[in-house]
Structure formats: structure tokens, C-alpha cells
Amino acid sequence: MRIAELSRRSEVPVPTIKFYLRTELLFPGERTSHNQAQYTEAHVRRLKVIRALIEVGGLSIAATREVLEKMYAPGMSAVDSAGKAQFAMVTQRPVIEDETWERAVKETDALLDRLGWQVRATNPARQSLASAIATLYRLGQTPQLKLLDDYAKVARQAAEAELAHLAGETDPDAFVESAVIWTALGDVIFSALRRAAQEDIVTRFTSPQE
Amino acid sequence: MRIAELSRRSEVPVPTIKFYLRTELLFPGERTSHNQAQYTEAHVRRLKVIRALIEVGGLSIAATREVLEKMYAPGMSAVDSAGKAQFAMVTQRPVIEDETWERAVKETDALLDRLGWQVRATNPARQSLASAIATLYRLGQTPQLKLLDDYAKVARQAAEAELAHLAGETDPDAFVESAVIWTALGDVIFSALRRAAQEDIVTRFTSPQE
DNA sequence: CGATAACAGATAGTTCTACTATCCATTATC
DNA sequence: GATAATGGATAGTAGAACTATCTGTTATCG
């Protein structure tokens, strides 16, 4: 198909597709002549994934590009690709290395240790967690161990549920794609469900009439 | 204190503080003369909360302003203020009302119904959830009921754990502030823990040696 | 008291992100 | 053969979140 149809099918404007091609977010079509290229179903699909990650998942273009690179990197097992893509999804922010930060890192290490989780030092989730904990400290909100432990237990259940869901996927490419999509959208879904649950709990608490 | 000290104490540059004052993100200091104003501990505190919501929580300035407005609105119960602030934290995106969207809304309603949760129609979490589910549909990822139900159960546990934590707070202002901070940072913490759990599970699965 | 520094407020400028728009020389298509 | 579409290059735009500069005071310190 040509670019106009690709645009129609993917609901992405032509100039935006060109922009994605320029910035290597989308792989090029097969050239048939000096000013013609053929696009395929794979392009449509890729554009849909890109839009989902950006619009719904809230990823930046840079993060999305990295995720896609890792996702479809050849010569890696599905699990490794998914893992690498996972890493690219975490927004890294520069860290202020003060006393609070040190404390938060220790707290993070202790938590993961206590849980017995095997999480590499390179996993950006560690840093992300530490910076949230550091922020709680700075705001005088002592992050109670119990609450963190509860959160962790619950997070593990969520991860188990979604990995069980993914286990049904036999095709490696489909597995990686599903894993990435679920990681990105899972955050959104979970966040929404948490807020919904909060309202329900508060409602029951203030006007108990079960 | 004067603005230089406020800047030092809050670690926010003076021009940024001025910008926050201009845009009413930060309430003004008490004027003592034509070009002097006094700032208080409350200003320091507020700036720290603002930076936490923006930098760690990832809120936009507009969302942050709304959250703060609702948070400290007078004449409301702590629970109501926290609820309103909660609503302002969800990023609303324009919705494409196609067939997929309709289906996702039905799915969302059915889910909340099945769970028996009391969630108002105005809660933006509904829309957020529906748009994530619609995206899954569009990507051909059938959102299995079981997984959504599992997620919901887990989200409820997280919400219960954090509300139990908040229940200890007797001062209404402190309650609202804690609620807002935990809602914003909870997303980050949970997301990080989920990714950490994913790595642990995958590690155990591919090289089981407990 | 006077020099220097700090201040509030106004206005303008900057950087980054994520697109949009325009143009041109081809190439398709009717 | 006229019209439309295309790929690629270049430039422009809109919004967000600051950052800088300027002006006319007001503090403060020696």
C-alpha cells in the first residue's frame, strides 16, 4: 500500500508518518522507484503500537523508539527482548545524591532483599523506586515498611497474573509485543483501578450501607 | 523569610518561584511594602509538594495547580477534598467515540458492576480505564476478564493498604496532603515494584534454582 | 548617609518536544 | 497529457516549563 492508505488505515496523518520515518520510529517501506515506496500490514501494526505507547502509555517519542529497538532486536530470546524493552520504558531522571537519597537506596535494597526478589542492579525500577521513597522522606512521609511490603506483595500478584496471561503466547514476536503492550497499558489500567477502588472504599467508609 | 531564603530552603530557583507565583501555582507572600513580601514555612512546604508532584509524580503544571486548588479548598471535608484532588490527577485525553470505545465502556461498566464497586460516573478513572481497554482491543489484545478481575482485586488491596495507612492521620489538612502525595507517588512506586516483580518472576522461570 | 544588594513585578526570550506545512522534483494514474 | 500523489528536504508552529533581563523601589551594612 502507499502512504495515503497507510495513513487512513492507521489513523495517523501523512506528515506525522513522514516524521516518524525521518526519526526512525517507523522502519522505511520497500522502495519501488525514486519517489515511491510500498508499505505493509507490518507498518500499520507498528503505527498502532507506536500510538498506543505514546498516547495511552504516555511514553515520549525517545522512549518509544528505544522500546521498539529493543523489542524487535534480532538474535535475542523473547524474554530477553521483553526485558530490555521493559527497561527502556522507565523514565530516568537525574538523581540528587543527598543523604535522603542514600537512605532511600538502602530502604529499596532492604525491601527487595526482604522479599527475596532477584532484581539486577541495572534494573531502572530500582532507581525509580528509590527516588519515590526519597521524595516521601523529603516530604516527611515516613514510608512505613508495612505499606511498602503490602504494595510489593500486591505488585507481585499483578505481575504473576499478567505473566500467566502471556504464557499462552507461543509465537516469540507476539509474546514480546504483548509483553510490552501490557507493561505500558498495565500501569494505566492499574492506576485507574486503584483510583476506582479508593472511591469505593471511601464511599463505604463514610456511608456504610452495604 | 524573603525569596532568596525560600529558594534556598525549597531548592527551587528564584525565577521559577516567581513563575509559580505568576501562574498561581504558589500563593503569594504577605506584602510588607511595595517590593517586599514575607514567605513562610507553608511556602516552603508547598513548593516541596509541587516539585514532588511534577518531578516524581509526573503531573503537568496545569494538573498540579488543579490538584492544589482542590486540596486546599475551604469548607470541604478532608475526604471530599482528597476525592476532588484525586480526580484532577487523572490526565484526561480526548476520546475517539468509535465502536471499540463503546465496547470498552461497556466492558468497564461490567467490570465495576461485577466487582460491586461504587464508583461515580464522573470519576475520570472510568474513562481512563475504558481508553486503555479500547486500546487493547484496537491492538487485538483481548483483555481477558480474568486478568482484569485479578488486577482489580490487587488494586483494591493496594488502595485498602494505603487507606489503612492514612487512617492514622487525625489532622484534616495533613490527611488530605498525605492522600494526594500517596496517590501520586503510589503510582510510581507500584509501577516500579511491578517491573521488579516481573524481572524476578522471569528469572525464576527461566533459571529455576530458588 | 551612601553604596551595594535584594526585591517584586513586567516582559521577553529560551529550550525542548512533537508535530505540521510547504516546496520540489519525480512518478502514477486517469 | 493533465492532474494527483509521492519521497525527501527544509522550515515553521504550538505548547509546556521554565530562565533572563529590566525597572523602579526598598533593605542593609559599613
Side-chain angles (χ1 to χ4, degrees):
Chain A
M1 78 190 79
R2 316 206 327 199
I3 203 167
E5 193 183 341
L6 177 59
S7 168
R8 208 166 29 72
R9 293 272 313 275
S10 62
E11 296 180 85
V12 176
V14 171
T16 304
I17 295 178
K18 286 186 174 187
F19 168 68
Y20 287 170
L21 286 166
R22 269 204 307 284
T23 53
E24 288 177 84
L25 201 56
L26 182 66
F27 52 95
E30 200 190 339
R31 301 296 301 275
T32 58
S33 72
H34 180 60
N35 70 336
Q36 295 288 306
Q38 283 295 312
Y39 302 97
T40 63
E41 285 305 318
H43 287 89
V44 178
R45 174 84 194 160
R46 187 65 67 89
L47 278 174
K48 285 185 181 171
V49 173
I50 290 171
R51 297 310 300 169
L53 293 180
I54 291 177
E55 281 184 7
V56 186
L59 297 204
S60 68
I61 285 206
T64 306
R65 182 167 34 237
E66 244 191 284
V67 168
L68 294 174
E69 261 167 33
K70 306 287 151 87
M71 237 171 116
Y72 303 103
M76 282 187 112
S77 78
V79 167
D80 282 352
S81 301
K84 288 246 153 70
Q86 220 79 298
F87 279 21
M89 249 179 276
V90 180
T91 330
Q92 299 271 37
R93 281 168 313 92
V95 154
I96 309 136
E97 302 220 3
D98 59 359
E99 187 266 331
T100 313
W101 169 254
E102 309 267 304
R103 196 141 47 102
V105 169
K106 277 204 195 93
E107 181 91 33
T108 305
D109 291 348
L111 172 65
L112 295 178
D113 236 50
R114 203 158 58 235
L115 295 164
W117 291 5
Q118 294 174 34
V119 181
R120 274 168 288 174
T122 50
N123 193 326
R126 278 177 178 274
Q127 194 191 300
S128 188
L129 189 49
S131 84
I133 291 175
T135 305
L136 287 175
Y137 276 133
R138 288 192 192 113
L139 293 172
Q141 299 277 343
T142 322
Q144 292 187 355
L145 293 189
K146 190 184 168 320
L147 183 50
L148 283 180
D149 283 0
D150 285 352
Y151 253 56
K153 242 176 250 132
V154 163
R156 193 166 215 282
Q157 282 172 41
E160 269 165 12
E162 77 204 11
L163 285 174
H165 171 70
L166 286 178
E169 197 61 73
T170 48
D171 175 51
D173 286 354
F175 173 88
V176 173
E177 211 179 80
S178 291
V180 166
I181 291 168
W182 274 99
T183 302
L185 296 190
D187 280 347
V188 176
I189 292 175
F190 194 85
S191 161
L193 284 172
R194 190 163 71 100
R195 278 163 178 66
Q198 282 168 351
E199 175 168 342
D200 177 60
I201 293 167
V202 167
T203 307
R204 283 177 200 286
F205 183 73
T206 53
S207 59
Q209 66 219 353
E210 302 268 331
Chain B
M1 77 190 79
R2 318 207 321 199
I3 203 166
E5 194 183 342
L6 177 59
S7 168
R8 207 165 30 72
R9 294 273 313 275
S10 61
E11 295 180 86
V12 176
V14 171
T16 304
I17 295 177
K18 286 187 174 187
F19 168 69
Y20 287 170
L21 286 167
R22 270 204 307 284
T23 52
E24 288 178 81
L25 200 58
L26 182 65
F27 53 93
E30 200 190 338
R31 300 296 301 272
T32 58
S33 72
H34 180 60
N35 70 338
Q36 295 289 307
Q38 283 294 314
Y39 303 97
T40 63
E41 285 304 319
H43 287 89
V44 178
R45 175 82 193 163
R46 187 65 66 92
L47 279 174
K48 284 185 182 171
V49 172
I50 289 171
R51 297 310 300 170
L53 293 180
I54 291 177
E55 282 185 6
V56 186
L59 297 204
S60 68
I61 285 204
T64 305
R65 181 166 37 236
E66 245 192 283
V67 168
L68 294 174
E69 263 167 32
K70 306 288 152 85
M71 238 172 116
Y72 303 104
M76 282 187 113
S77 78
V79 167
D80 283 352
S81 301
K84 288 245 156 66
Q86 219 80 298
F87 279 22
M89 248 178 280
V90 179
T91 328
Q92 298 271 34
R93 280 166 315 92
V95 154
I96 309 136
E97 302 220 3
D98 59 1
E99 187 266 331
T100 313
W101 169 253
E102 309 267 305
R103 197 144 45 104
V105 169
K106 278 204 196 93
E107 180 92 34
T108 305
D109 291 348
L111 172 65
L112 296 177
D113 237 51
R114 203 159 58 235
L115 296 162
W117 291 5
Q118 294 173 34
V119 180
R120 275 168 289 175
T122 50
N123 193 325
R126 278 178 177 273
Q127 196 192 298
S128 188
L129 189 49
S131 83
I133 291 176
T135 305
L136 287 176
Y137 276 133
R138 288 192 193 113
L139 292 172
Q141 299 278 342
T142 323
Q144 294 187 353
L145 294 188
K146 191 186 168 316
L147 183 50
L148 282 180
D149 283 1
D150 284 353
Y151 253 56
K153 239 176 254 131
V154 162
R156 193 165 215 285
Q157 282 173 40
E160 268 166 12
E162 78 203 10
L163 284 174
H165 170 71
L166 286 178
E169 197 60 73
T170 48
D171 176 50
D173 286 354
F175 172 89
V176 174
E177 211 178 79
S178 292
V180 166
I181 291 168
W182 274 99
T183 302
L185 296 191
D187 281 347
V188 176
I189 292 175
F190 193 86
S191 161
L193 284 172
R194 190 162 72 97
R195 279 163 177 64
Q198 282 168 351
E199 174 167 344
D200 177 59
I201 293 168
V202 167
T203 307
R204 282 175 202 288
F205 182 74
T206 52
S207 59
Q209 66 221 352
E210 304 266 333

